[in-house]
Amino acid sequence: QVEFVESGGGLVQPGGSLRLSCTASGMNFSVYSMAWYRQARGKQREWVGGISYGNTTNYRSAVKGRFTISRDNNKNTVYLQMSSLIPEDTAAYYCNTAGVDHSWGQGTQVTVSS
């Protein structure tokens, strides 16, 4: 059974930074393109950005230049480095395969507020 465990969220002031982690188990992690998603309260879950198995990255326009995705296949972990955070980034953040092939993890809450 595939499982994703996200961590690293918290409360941060506007302009601050956070690094999220997502560790996968039960899958051959290195062959999958992975992605980060987020869901703000009362809104639909949205794609934030992704990283291919070959380490090519792409991002939604709202986070481009502020967020960076990386992966460590030895640790079955994908990272989301977030900087210059704004209140609109407040959401629960999740990872999954790029094709959303598996059940969602519990997510990690990011709150950007002064």
Side-chain angles (χ1 to χ4, degrees):
Q1 181 178 349
V2 175
E3 183 178 1
F4 300 114
V5 178
E6 299 91 350
S7 62
L11 173 64
V12 61
Q13 291 187 342
S17 299
L18 279 175
R19 187 196 195 204
L20 307 184
S21 301
C22 170
T23 300
S25 59
M27 62 183 285
N28 188 0
F29 181 81
S30 64
V31 304
Y32 280 92
S33 296
M34 297 296 296
W36 283 94
Y37 304 82
R38 67 186 181 186
Q39 186 169 21
R41 187 173 300 178
K43 295 187 177 181
Q44 289 191 333
R45 196 177 334 238
E46 65 183 16
W47 174 83
V48 173
I51 183 166
S52 73
Y53 56 83
N55 285 324
T56 299
T57 56
N58 56 342
Y59 305 92
R60 70 182 301 113
S61 58
V63 308
K64 198 173 294 184
R66 300 190 297 120
F67 289 11
T68 302
I69 297 174
S70 60
R71 66 190 297 162
D72 184 340
N73 290 336
N74 291 324
K75 296 182 178 180
N76 284 5
T77 299
V78 59
Y79 302 97
L80 179 64
Q81 178 68 49
M82 306 185 295
S83 60
S84 302
L85 284 161
I86 59 177
E88 290 76 14
D89 295 320
T90 295
Y93 284 72
Y94 304 84
C95 76
N96 208 315
T97 55
V100 192
D101 302 303
H102 305 289
S103 299
W104 297 100
Q106 85 288 349
T108 187
Q109 178 67 36
V110 172
T111 302
V112 184
S113 175
S114 56

